[in-house]
Amino acid sequence: MVALEEVRVGVHPLERFSEILSREEMHEALSTANRMRRRLSRRVVWNINSTSAGGGVAEMLPSLLGYTRSVGIDTRWLVIRGEPEFFRVTKRLHHALHGSAGDGSPLDEEARQIYESALSAAALEFASQVQKGDLVLLHDPQTAGMATALGGKGIHLIWRCHIGSDSSNEEVECGWEFLRPYLEQIPAYVFSRENYVPVMCDHGKSVVITPSIDAFSAKNQDLSEDAVRTILVHTGLVEGPSPEHPDHGFVRDDGTPGRVGRRAEVVRLGRPPAWETPLIVQISRWDPLKDMRGVMEGFARLCGQGDGQAELVLAGPNVNSVSDDPEGAGVFEEVVEAWHQLPAAARNRVHLASLPGDDVEENAAIVNALQRHATIVVQKSLREGFGLTATEAMWKQRPVVASAVGGLQDQIEDGVSGVLLKDPEDLDAFAGILAELLASPERMARLGAAARERVRERFLGLGHLIKYATLFERLSDD
Ligand code: UDP
């Protein structure tokens, strides 16, 4: 079996950013790019993670790599292929680093063997491609174990961890202990927040780089109202008719026109929501820590408080499409089960959507349209490394209600560029925030405007790349 597969990466012109950045910002970016091209000539910057679709890492890599390639830096993306057992262990590890027990299985010697045998095969395959002087970014716990076999080859290894926990507990400690032997072989780490850096990585070897979004990708590019409506009617997320001038279109990353042709599968009782119906939307993988079920139950309390008109759309990938997430199908089933138990008045107003995943950019255009059409976007995670979905919605000027956990606390200034729910399990407080916002369109508009500005200042891809450049310069000096 092939242990690693290369993902094709496009080329995205950096000059696009001149539409949204100042002259000085563009100047800084272009001069950094030139410096890096000279410094990295004849070297490859490799990125290795565990899926090419689904989740925040797979979302960011095509953009970051596409811009880097456009300035003449040879950047490549490889994905680990593993057996279901391997992904069961890595998902368990992922939960542990978030402080949760996941499926409760032990992170013991047997788990370590499963983990190491998949990763040593991957490292062996990779060793025949990588060369002295190359930079290698291993992303997340799924790849950290490759470090053992890659040491001593004159390559610059970096571990990029996208997850973490605000506070420690037994699970968190157990997760880090599991990773310790591999991390000890790596000279540099990147985390998304300062307090995610565990003591073992905290010796001047870690830098913090906040994740970013690509304003021009199919996920975030501007869409006309006709395009939003056409896409949502076509996919079955909003009731027809299509607008007078239907427009399924979006622009693919390679600049060619794309068109949404597939439909979503939606669990619901009646008809799709009308175009005018206010929508509360959460878009996530079907992962217990995203708490789709809690969102639905909180929404049911809102329905119980009065006769409001808002409806809820919970949307996620079709559960067969995310290769490194073995929990998706089970979580989706649990959410459907809980939906059956809702009082009828609430059940009628909840739509559980599985979005087609065969074409990543088509999927992105559907998410884009849904976020743009949402009256409120929610990210009521129980834990969160950094919630890209919140940043995506903020860029679209949506009022976002998110849990005060993990990176979401850095993304949103409470009451200014969104609203933070202090205790993500407090469903009454959640329902109260939604009710207050729905009653105040002016407040929602104010939050949305501030949200976009916050993203423009802090969470767009160029700033992200400049921070990587600084790190690469330091490492390649060594
Ligand atoms: N996403 C998507 N389609 C879906 C569900 C999620 O494209 O059906 C995207 C979402 O827009 C975001 C990413 O997956 O870009 C999720 O990243 P986030 O940081 O919010 O969470 P993660 O999944 O990495 O924990």
Side-chain angles (χ1 to χ4, degrees), residues 20 44 350 468:
I20 51 175
V44 180
V350 175
Y468 267 120

Side-chain angles (χ1 to χ4, degrees), residues 54-57 59 94 219 283-285 290 315-318 355 363-364 367 371 379 384 386-390 392:
V57 184
E59 178 70 25
H94 172 99
K219 177 70 55 70
I283 301 170
S284 291
R285 288 178 296 106
K290 304 291 181 185
N318 193 302
L355 306 182
N363 177 283
V367 170
Q371 288 169 330
Q379 192 57 56
E384 192 62 78
F386 184 95
L388 279 184
T389 48
E392 290 159 3

